[in-house]
Amino acid sequence: MSEAVNKKKVIFSGIQPTGTFTLGNYIGAVRNWGPLQEEYDCIYSIVDMHALTVKRDPVKFRQQTIESYALLLACGIDPNKSIAFIQSHNPSHAQLNWILACSTQFGELSRMTQFKDKSKKHPDDVNAGLFTYPVLMAADILAYNADLVPIGADQKQHLELARNIAVRFNQRFGDMFTVPEPYIPKVGAKVMSLQEPTKKMSKSDENQNAVILILDDKDTIIRKFKRAVTDSEAVVKYADGKDGINNLITIYSAVTGKSVAEIESEFDGKGYGDFKLAVGETVADHLAPVRDNFARLLADRNYLKECYTEGAQRAFKLSNRVISKAHRKVGFVDYR
Ligand code: TYM
């Protein structure tokens, strides 16, 4: 990645280190990040500061952050092609967060559906960080003047807010930030729970049968798919009201690259049992290299540390220029 003459478009995305990535994280976001490295200047972050909005055990949190970083590399992020770092290692995010918070309205943050959902889920800890979370997310993106942000559908509202903040800041202080575009996959932008297929698949689901973790072993993956909630029709067809089957077709399509029509004809005359088994086996085989890479990477803590340390230094070099410019724009006194 050339940091001096930066002609390629810039990509930024992040994922919270709140446990093993789910199949939703993977299909909706992370697996698309690797291929983008060939065409863009990519910056990927394990966003530990975002994860702090929910109470965590510090020892477990530290371990999960390192594991998530290893998992990011295991999913094909090459630290020589991209900048891969841990968010809290680059102070620019917190700095820009404050400046952008002063260009964000209380009303717009109150409308964020994720805030509403999470405050319902953790009524005993509706902290200010949870409320201002989308401002930090805007800072992550705008600190690198990212052009594109590859995300799943559930992050679209936050991205919209980041765009509004960028536009507002530019109008008030003069051109400063690139207004980022979402990059949402056509297939698999919202992978649903295997147990309640009208809800998105989520790491925090209490029912572990609802969630495929990308480090689950083959038997576990197959077992979870076998138990997936479907309907009583027993026809593998994508149709309104068949949320469970639609989700399995989407997953199978995302992993195999086959179209819905191809999948319907492949399973024509076959029952749900055969279909679920095929989805389970295909997903497990697809994820096998990720599991192997992860085990290898996690065994080499020194290498991981070298990668995230260098990643943070490179990230800071880029974002610090943006911060200096933002400071000048808002009228802070220059001291260097
Ligand atoms: P997080 O950690 O919840 O999820 C990481 C990515 O996975 C996508 N995703 C899904 N996609 C499809 N189906 C699902 N069931 C599913 N569940 C999750 C998410 O859309 C996301 O792209 N706020 C972000 C992290 C973040 C960020 C950023 C992202 C912080 N700063 C800046 C982009 C740019 C989040 O909590 O993602």
Side-chain angles (χ1 to χ4, degrees):
M1 176 164 181
S2 79
E3 281 161 20
V5 193
N6 198 342
K7 285 197 207 103
K8 289 184 191 169
K9 283 198 169 180
V10 176
I11 286 211
F12 182 93
S13 202
I15 182 161
Q16 294 193 57
T18 46
T20 303
F21 306 166
T22 68
L23 188 62
N25 293 137
Y26 182 76
I27 290 178
V30 184
R31 75 152 183 171
N32 307 315
W33 296 358
L36 292 168
Q37 300 174 119
E38 311 305 329
E39 224 183 301
Y40 300 96
D41 278 346
C42 297
I43 305 159
Y44 297 124
S45 186
I46 297 299
V47 289
D48 54 348
M49 289 158 69
H50 280 92
L52 203 60
T53 52
V54 171
K55 278 185 193 145
R56 312 214 167 265
D57 167 56
V59 174
K60 210 166 139 203
F61 183 32
R62 187 172 295 114
Q63 177 66 15
Q64 280 181 334
T65 302
I66 294 171
E67 286 181 7
S68 297
Y69 187 83
L71 200 47
L72 186 69
L73 303 195
C75 288
I77 309 310
D78 179 346
N80 295 312
K81 289 185 184 162
S82 298
I83 293 179
F85 74 107
I86 296 171
Q87 184 187 29
S88 63
H89 293 174
N90 180 1
S92 299
H93 295 247
Q95 278 178 292
L96 190 56
N97 174 62
W98 181 255
I99 293 176
L100 298 182
C102 300
S103 279
T104 309
Q105 297 303 305
F106 180 88
E108 47 191 354
L109 289 176
S110 318
R111 286 193 290 276
M112 295 291 115
T113 53
Q114 191 167 301
F115 170 67
K116 292 186 209 164
D117 293 347
K118 286 205 176 171
S119 359
K120 262 192 224 140
K121 221 167 162 186
H122 307 278
D124 57 326
D125 188 24
V126 184
N127 61 75
L130 199 61
F131 187 64
T132 59
Y133 177 114
V135 182
L136 181 59
M137 184 161 156
D140 299 340
I141 299 164
L142 303 186
Y144 304 94
N145 275 319
D147 298 283
L148 284 175
V149 184
I151 42 173
D154 64 324
Q155 293 300 317
K156 208 171 156 216
Q157 193 187 32
H158 287 163
L159 205 268
E160 227 13 82
L161 179 64
R163 287 169 56 84
N164 290 342
I165 295 173
V167 169
R168 190 174 305 136
F169 188 100
N170 289 349
Q171 280 167 352
R172 185 162 164 206
F173 297 108
D175 251 11
M176 165 80 214
F177 293 117
T178 304
V179 181
E181 295 286 340
Y183 182 101
I184 297 175
K186 288 200 179 70
V187 178
K190 194 168 185 190
V191 174
M192 310 309 271
S193 151
L194 297 187
Q195 292 297 314
E196 284 174 83
T198 50
K199 262 177 46 186
K200 82 164 181 176
M201 185 182 283
S202 163
K203 272 177 217 169
S204 56
D205 203 311
E206 271 152 29
N207 182 351
Q208 279 310 299
N209 283 324
V211 186
I212 302 287
L213 301 177
I214 66 170
L215 294 177
D216 279 344
D217 61 36
K218 186 165 183 170
D219 289 348
T220 307
I221 293 178
I222 292 175
R223 182 172 42 77
K224 288 181 180 175
F225 274 111
K226 276 188 179 161
R227 290 188 185 165
V229 168
T230 48
D231 53 74
S232 54
E233 215 177 290
V235 183
V236 180
K237 193 168 172 46
Y238 197 100
D240 275 354
K242 287 168 71 77
D243 300 313
I245 282 296
N246 294 350
N247 189 35
L248 298 186
I249 291 178
T250 301
I251 291 170
Y252 193 64
S253 168
V255 172
T256 59
K258 291 176 186 169
S259 68
V260 172
E262 281 167 336
I263 295 168
E264 287 172 349
S265 79
E266 184 179 344
F267 292 94
D268 189 24
K270 293 189 183 144
Y272 285 169
D274 288 339
F275 180 51
K276 287 178 178 179
L277 182 65
V279 179
E281 282 185 336
T282 309
V283 167
D285 291 345
H286 180 87
L287 293 175
V290 174
R291 281 198 300 277
D292 295 346
N293 289 340
F294 175 73
R296 188 173 40 76
L297 284 157
L298 199 64
D300 194 348
R301 294 292 176 112
N302 289 337
Y303 172 71
L304 288 175
K305 192 169 184 185
E306 260 169 43
C307 291
Y308 59 67
T309 305
E310 203 204 321
Q313 285 162 353
R314 291 169 66 201
F316 177 72
K317 226 168 125 187
L318 293 177
S319 59
N320 198 39
R321 279 189 230 139
V322 177
I323 298 290
S324 301
K325 196 170 166 198
H327 279 197
R328 274 197 304 278
K329 289 274 188 193
V330 300
F332 287 167
V333 174
D334 196 2
Y335 65 98
R336 276 157 289 215

